């Protein structure tokens, strides 16, 4: 993104009370950006080096109110980082449709609603950068995480089209897809229950344990935060960025070049299916 050294850039980060959002907000604040993070709950008495706005990305009125408050205080929004998201696990057959819809509301429709709220201000400025945080899991359908993969894949694809729509308005957009990150997403994600006697009881149970271990062993949120800072400092961001462990990034290459069934077999071997 083109920088104006005479003006402090205003950053809005959704989901900044923990994990990637919190680490990114802290790092950007340290580097001199004016940062506003969002949380569903009021963060009174917090000791963070950035300000909080109350926002529920599933509520359009909440989003518009937070954006209006920010614009009233600062007059502009230079950078939007759509980070808020939730996890979901379970066999597709046994995962309630309402749970999957709710995940789409947060991971897909939520970022779009925030984008719709900030685009008029960015267009008036004729300048802005939007970073949508997706996931390496969105590049492939993962067993027992298929609904989560679908939400992130959908955000990835709509970002490609949106990027072209807004380019002539001086607004840049890209995605960043992390792999496993050591955050509390495993504890807060929706888990379809393990059903006694289900045809998925053994395979889902084993995979769920493996997924949780993967998150615990993931890269630190600070690593992703630094990647976001690097993207912001690019004059012309690429369409997609990826960050994660070597094997996670390698999976993207294998997915692209291997025959579908061969790649599928690699995943089945990994998850012992």
């Amino acid at each position: 993104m083109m920088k104006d050294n005479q003006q402090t850039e205003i950053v809005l980060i959704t989901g900044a009370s923990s994990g990637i959002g919190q680490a990114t907000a802290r790092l950007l604040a340290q580097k001199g950006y004016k940062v506003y993070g969002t949380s569903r709950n009021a963060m009174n008495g917090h000791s963070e080096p950035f300000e909080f706005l109350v926002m529920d990305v599933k509520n359009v009125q909440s989003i518009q109110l937070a954006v209006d408050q920010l614009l009233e205080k600062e007059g502009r929004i230079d950078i939007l980082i759509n980070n808020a998201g939730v996890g979901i696990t379970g066999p597709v057959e046994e995962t309630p449709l309402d749970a999957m819809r709710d995940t789409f509301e947060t991971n897909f429709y939520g970022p779009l609603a925030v984008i719709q709220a900030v685009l008029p201000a960015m267009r008036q400025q004729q300048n802005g950068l939007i970073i949508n945080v997706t996931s390496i899991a969105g590049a492939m359908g993962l067993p027992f995480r298929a609904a989560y993969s679908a939400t992130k894949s959908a955000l990835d694809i709509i970002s490609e089209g949106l990027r072209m729509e807004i380019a002539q308005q001086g607004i840049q957009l890209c995605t960043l897809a992390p792999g496993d990150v050591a955050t509390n997403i495993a504890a807060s994600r929706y888990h379809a229950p393990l059903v006694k006697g289900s045809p998925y009881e053994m395979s889902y149970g084993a995979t769920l344990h493996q997924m949780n271990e993967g998150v615990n062993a993931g890269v630190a949120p600070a690593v992703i935060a630094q990647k976001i800072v690097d993207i912001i400092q690019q004059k012309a961001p690429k369409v997609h960025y990826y960050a994660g462990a070597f094997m996670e990034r390698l999976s993207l290459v294998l997915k692209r070049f291997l025959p579908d069934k061969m790649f599928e077999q690699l995943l089945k071997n990994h998850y012992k299916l």
Side-chain angles (χ1 to χ4, degrees), residues 55-69:
M55 179 191 289
D56 180 352
V57 298
K58 294 192 292 183
N59 185 305
V60 173
Q61 289 75 26
S62 169
I63 292 168
Q64 193 62 58
L65 179 60
V67 169
D68 288 345
Q69 289 174 340

Side-chain angles (χ1 to χ4, degrees), residues 36-37 57 73 77 85 105 158 175 181 186 208 210 212 215 224-225 270 273:
Y36 290 82
V57 298
K73 291 182 72 171
I77 300 174
E105 286 292 336
I158 204 168
T175 70
V181 181
L208 187 57
Q210 186 177 355
N212 289 338
V215 170
I224 309 303
H270 176 75
L273 297 175

Side-chain angles (χ1 to χ4, degrees), residues 208-225:
L208 187 57
H209 177 71
Q210 186 177 355
M211 286 189 288
N212 289 338
E213 283 189 335
V215 170
N216 293 334
V219 301
V223 174
I224 309 303

Side-chain angles (χ1 to χ4, degrees), residues 36-270:
Y36 290 82
T38 78
S39 173
R40 285 177 296 177
N41 304 308
M43 301 291 289
N44 298 325
H46 71 86
S47 58
E48 298 290 358
F50 57 92
E51 295 190 40
F52 270 101
L53 299 168
V54 175
M55 179 191 289
D56 180 352
V57 298
K58 294 192 292 183
N59 185 305
V60 173
Q61 289 75 26
S62 169
I63 292 168
Q64 193 62 58
L65 179 60
V67 169
D68 288 345
Q69 289 174 340
L70 175 50
L71 289 173
E72 186 175 348
K73 291 182 72 171
E74 301 292 348
R76 60 187 297 115
I77 300 174
D78 298 294
I79 301 165
L80 166 64
I81 302 169
N82 266 320
N83 163 75
V86 294
I88 182 170
T89 67
V92 171
E93 181 182 356
E94 296 179 352
T95 303
L97 289 177
D98 283 347
M100 290 193 269
R101 289 191 186 100
D102 191 63
T103 305
F104 265 94
E105 286 292 336
T106 299
N107 291 0
F108 179 70
Y109 293 110
L112 296 185
V114 180
I115 288 170
Q116 289 180 342
V118 305
L119 276 179
M122 287 185 171
R123 181 165 49 251
Q124 188 174 20
Q125 299 161 194
Q126 296 186 313
N127 183 266
L129 171 65
I130 299 168
I131 301 175
N132 287 333
V133 178
T134 59
S135 173
I136 287 178
M140 58 200 76
L142 297 178
F144 306 114
R145 258 195 296 183
Y148 179 75
S149 291
T151 66
K152 293 299 189 176
S153 177
L155 183 58
D156 224 26
I157 292 300
I158 204 168
S159 295
E160 292 180 359
L162 175 59
R163 172 185 163 99
M164 291 183 280
E165 293 173 3
I166 60 179
Q168 291 185 330
Q169 301 171 22
I171 304 167
Q172 299 174 319
L173 183 147
C174 67
T175 70
L176 169 62
D180 284 331
V181 181
T183 69
N184 64 353
I185 190 171
S188 60
R189 66 159 65 113
Y190 175 88
H191 294 290
L194 281 168
V195 179
K196 191 72 174 176
S198 162
Y200 309 104
E201 180 182 3
M202 298 301 294
S203 55
Y204 175 40
T207 303
L208 187 57
H209 177 71
Q210 186 177 355
M211 286 189 288
N212 289 338
E213 283 189 335
V215 170
N216 293 334
V219 301
V223 174
I224 309 303
Q226 183 59 58
K227 182 72 172 180
I228 290 173
V229 171
D230 293 342
I231 293 170
I232 288 173
Q233 293 176 345
Q234 296 290 317
K235 289 185 178 180
K238 298 188 298 184
V239 182
H240 301 297
Y241 292 88
Y242 304 92
F246 172 75
M247 290 305 295
E248 291 172 327
R249 288 180 283 113
L250 177 62
S251 70
L252 297 168
V253 178
L254 297 177
K255 168 72 172 175
R256 180 178 299 177
F257 292 107
L258 288 180
D260 289 344
K261 284 190 175 180
M262 187 176 295
F263 183 76
E264 180 185 64
Q265 190 59 51
L266 288 177
L267 286 180
K268 288 168 71 175
N269 292 344
H270 176 75

